[in-house]
Amino acid sequence: GENVEQHPSTLSVQEGDSAVIKCTYSDSASNYFPWYKQELGKGPQLIIDIRSNVGEKKDQRIAVTLNKTAKHFSLHITETQPEDSAVYFCAANRDGGSQGNLIFGKGTKLSVKP
Amino acid sequence: ETGVTQSPTHLIKTRGQQVTLRCSSQSGHNTVSWYQQALGQGPQFIFQYYREEENGRGNFPPRFSGLQFPNYSSELNVNALELDDSALYLCASRGGGNTEAFFGQGTRLTVV
């Protein structure tokens, strides 16, 4: 089955700097890769996703890149702000199937220092 | 459009008891998945319901069971609770043919 590895487990940056979180996956059939932000006491919030037919997707300060050959994908946050502090999870699954279950990484705790 | 809502937000149960958690899916979403999130870990897939039938299951024992109702709301039932069942239980819904999953705020279950 699919296995998703995520690193680093913790990341501390100064406000205004960029943050990068990386994930690798094992199942070459996976074709959908979402990223979730989870704040303390809340459920995961979908912030961006990418499908395997594209290599990069951007939404304002957030971007995701995908390398299908190497089976890894990354989240890039530019101009970080204190409110970006949270735990970020990557996930993978096969799009379009009846299963649709997400396999998550273990998370990255991002701290943005003012 | 309402989001995914879960109830209760917190509860405490004794080992051996049974518990039922509830989830209302986002408007228009007919697929509901349940996840268990242990402290400091990523969510783990329990099972998924589509049009009132279970159509996917993760590595969880049969004492974890569920239901989906005609309005697409769902329940997660756990029998014979164990201490290791203490976790945040998350419900996620998605629309037919879509993969984007939207999560509720979760139910924090503590087993003592």
Side-chain angles (χ1 to χ4, degrees):
Chain A
E2 175 65 279
N3 182 51
V4 176
E5 301 279 345
Q6 181 174 348
H7 58 95
S9 56
T10 59
L11 179 59
S12 182
V13 299
Q14 288 295 133
E15 182 177 359
D17 286 351
S18 295
V20 180
I21 303 170
K22 299 182 179 182
C23 289
T24 60
Y25 61 98
S26 60
D27 187 351
S28 56
S30 290
N31 55 9
Y32 175 66
F33 308 94
W35 286 88
Y36 287 86
K37 174 184 181 183
Q38 188 173 27
E39 297 174 320
L40 199 61
K42 297 185 178 181
Q45 176 192 3
L46 179 66
I47 57 172
I48 195 168
D49 56 15
I50 191 168
R51 287 177 169 79
S52 59
N53 56 346
V54 298
E56 184 174 358
K57 184 176 178 181
K58 190 173 181 180
D59 182 3
Q60 298 181 13
R61 297 186 297 110
I62 296 173
V64 57
T65 59
L66 171 65
N67 183 325
K68 285 191 297 182
T69 303
K71 289 191 279 188
H72 66 69
F73 56 113
S74 300
L75 177 71
H76 305 252
I77 306 174
T78 59
E79 300 172 21
T80 54
Q81 302 167 3
E83 51 265 38
D84 294 330
S85 296
V87 180
Y88 290 81
F89 292 96
C90 62
N93 86 340
R94 300 182 189 186
D95 195 1
S98 63
Q99 294 281 324
N101 54 288
L102 296 168
I103 307 300
F104 283 84
K106 291 190 174 182
T108 296
K109 183 176 182 181
L110 174 64
S111 299
V112 180
K113 298 179 179 179
Chain B
E1 181 178 290
T2 57
V4 180
T5 58
Q6 294 185 240
S7 63
T9 54
H10 299 83
L11 84 162
I12 300 173
K13 288 286 188 178
T14 302
R15 189 172 51 182
Q17 285 188 315
Q18 178 266 342
V19 69
T20 297
L21 311 181
R22 294 178 175 83
C23 171
S24 293
S25 60
Q26 187 164 317
S27 177
H29 286 186
N30 57 15
T31 302
V32 173
S33 301
W34 286 91
Y35 292 79
Q36 180 195 67
Q37 186 178 23
L39 203 60
Q41 301 294 316
Q44 298 285 319
F45 174 69
I46 302 174
F47 45 57
Q48 174 175 280
Y49 278 83
Y50 170 68
R51 292 187 175 180
E52 303 178 57
E53 299 223 351
E54 183 183 301
N55 74 339
R57 190 176 184 93
N59 189 26
F60 280 82
R63 60 189 185 83
F64 286 78
S65 63
L67 285 173
Q68 188 179 31
F69 301 98
N71 66 354
Y72 304 132
S73 65
S74 177
E75 287 182 353
L76 164 66
N77 300 290
V78 187
N79 293 322
L81 284 167
E82 301 176 359
L83 297 179
D84 285 349
D85 295 333
S86 296
L88 181 68
Y89 287 85
L90 296 161
C91 168
S93 75
R94 58 191 180 92
N98 294 325
T99 310
E100 293 87 351
F102 298 93
F103 284 83
Q105 82 282 9
T107 294
R108 172 71 64 188
L109 172 64
T110 302
V111 182
V112 298

